[in-house]
Structure formats: structure tokens, C-alpha cells
Amino acid sequence: MKIKRGDKVQVITGSYKGTIGDVIEVFPKKNKVKVEGVNMVKKHMKPNQINPDGGIVEMEAWIDASNVMLYDSKSKAPSRVRMGEDKKGEKVRVFVKSGKEVK
């Protein structure tokens, strides 16, 4: 999986298609990601020390990693990613469209 926490991604399929957001969590074993503002669900929470009132909380749910692509800000479009080398010879992720290194 070439997606990491903090990456900017665009949803390419489903009801949230076209939405751009940052990756909050990654679950590589199940090939799932959580993206900020995408796949919002309502969860009923019991009162606890963190949330003393309880109630209904809206939160992001997992989506399959195949439904998102890394967003290339240079070409302003989603792009595939390949592995390349930087000037020091270290492995880095590189956008296929623009050739720019993923930050």
C-alpha cells in the first residue's frame, strides 16, 4: 500500500467521488483508509470520561484503499504513484503524472 497517514487523496468512486481530503488512519492488513470528511457515519456513544454527555457522534468510517488515489497538487488531479530514488539514493514515492516527489 503506497498511501500513508497525512497524504492528500481524492476519492475516485462511490457517493463521495471527487472529494479531496487528508488520510487520518491507514489499516494495511485490510487495505482500508479513513479520509477526513469522507464516509461519515453516526455512532451512538455511551457517556464516559472523555464524552460525559454521550449522545450521537458523527465520525469517519473505513473505505477501501482502492477507492482513493493520491492527489497531485502540481497537475491538480489524482495520480498513480511509483517508487523512485532521490538525489541521495533513497527510495521515495513519485507521482506518475508530474514526476514530482510525494511530500
Side-chain angles (χ1 to χ4, degrees):
M1 181 183 286
K2 294 180 182 174
I3 298 171
K4 296 182 180 179
R5 188 175 8 155
D7 286 343
K8 190 168 284 298
V9 295
Q10 182 171 357
V11 180
I12 57 172
T13 59
S15 60
Y16 288 91
K17 182 177 181 178
T19 307
I20 299 169
D22 293 327
V23 175
I24 300 169
E25 271 185 88
V26 179
F27 195 6
K29 287 186 179 180
K30 289 196 175 182
N31 200 35
K32 303 270 185 188
V33 293
K34 278 188 186 178
V35 181
E36 185 178 17
V38 174
N39 200 18
M40 300 299 287
V41 294
K42 292 184 178 183
K43 183 172 171 94
H44 294 263
M45 302 288 281
K46 287 175 77 172
N48 56 26
Q49 288 182 342
I50 298 168
N51 188 8
D53 295 332
I56 301 170
V57 178
E58 205 165 342
M59 58 182 8
E60 292 89 358
W62 295 101
I63 60 172
D64 201 82
S66 66
N67 295 340
V68 298
M69 286 179 82
L70 283 169
Y71 184 75
D72 187 1
S73 57
K74 185 175 179 183
S75 65
K76 299 202 184 320
S79 176
R80 291 190 313 269
V81 177
R82 69 168 187 256
M83 297 306 288
E85 289 187 2
D86 63 354
K87 295 177 183 177
K88 297 176 185 175
E90 296 176 5
K91 288 172 99 175
V92 292
R93 297 176 298 160
V94 178
F95 289 114
V96 173
K97 280 190 178 180
S98 64
K100 188 179 123 183
E101 184 179 322
V102 178
K103 296 291 177 187

